[in-house]
Amino acid sequence: IYPAPFETINLRAINSLNFNNKYTVGYSDHCLGWIASSAAVSMGAKIIEKHFIHDDKIKAPDSHISLNFKSFKNMVKDIRCIETMLGNGDKVPHKKELEVRDHYRRYCVAKIDINPGDLFNESNVLFKRLGVKIGISASDFKKNLYMKSAKSLIKAGDVILEIK
């Protein structure tokens, strides 16, 4: 169908064809634009066939689904970006994420003055990004919820370094 309506595309068939990585699977795109080609790559297609036209003024049966040089170049750029984003499939933090995680992690800070013997709870503790790894992380707060403060006075705004 020229142009092929999106509901007729069935990109999940790429997974069926490529179930053992036994074959190189491609996609022949007869849709408007290049979103279907980009999506096909994200589903595992390794070869894309897309109509190309040198001059947008030429009227041919498939000219309306064809891409000119600039659009074709943008399609390839988008596909290369998708290939990069797909990664290697291992679910581990990226090196760049590890470099900045402490900057974005939240830590426990006294919302109000906390006296010795006070219980740590949501009314006297808040969570802030400090930009450095210091004190009790917000993710560990639940483990320490309702424990007594054994330290001397923790002033409002101070980082909570330990809970015992």
Side-chain angles (χ1 to χ4, degrees), residues 9 31 35 44 51 54 57 61 63 139 141:
I9 303 306
C31 294
I35 191 169
H51 292 233
H54 291 281
K57 295 175 186 152
S63 62
S139 60
F141 178 68

Side-chain angles (χ1 to χ4, degrees), residues 11 14 17-18 23-30 36-51 72 75-76 79-80 83:
L11 290 174
I14 293 170
L17 295 169
N18 198 23
Y23 305 104
T24 300
V25 178
Y27 174 71
S28 180
D29 187 355
H30 297 122
S37 291
S38 300
V41 168
S42 73
M43 298 295 289
K46 301 294 183 201
I47 301 168
I48 298 295
E49 179 261 327
K50 183 66 180 171
H51 292 233
F72 202 91
M75 177 189 71
V76 171
I79 286 172
R80 295 295 177 247
E83 289 171 333

Side-chain angles (χ1 to χ4, degrees), residues 86-140:
L86 287 171
N88 64 11
D90 296 336
K91 185 60 184 147
V92 294
H94 189 277
K95 178 179 78 171
K96 290 183 180 187
E97 291 173 312
L98 293 173
E99 290 171 4
V100 299
R101 83 172 153 195
D102 293 336
H103 179 76
Y104 291 104
R105 186 169 280 162
R106 294 177 189 269
Y107 294 90
C108 298
V109 174
K111 186 189 289 187
I112 58 174
D113 289 349
I114 302 173
N115 295 301
D118 286 353
L119 299 178
F120 290 100
N121 58 52
E122 297 90 349
S123 65
N124 61 10
V125 176
L126 56 86
F127 310 104
K128 286 188 175 182
R129 288 188 176 126
L130 304 174
V132 293
K133 185 176 183 177
I134 185 170
I136 307 295
S137 71
S139 60
D140 290 334

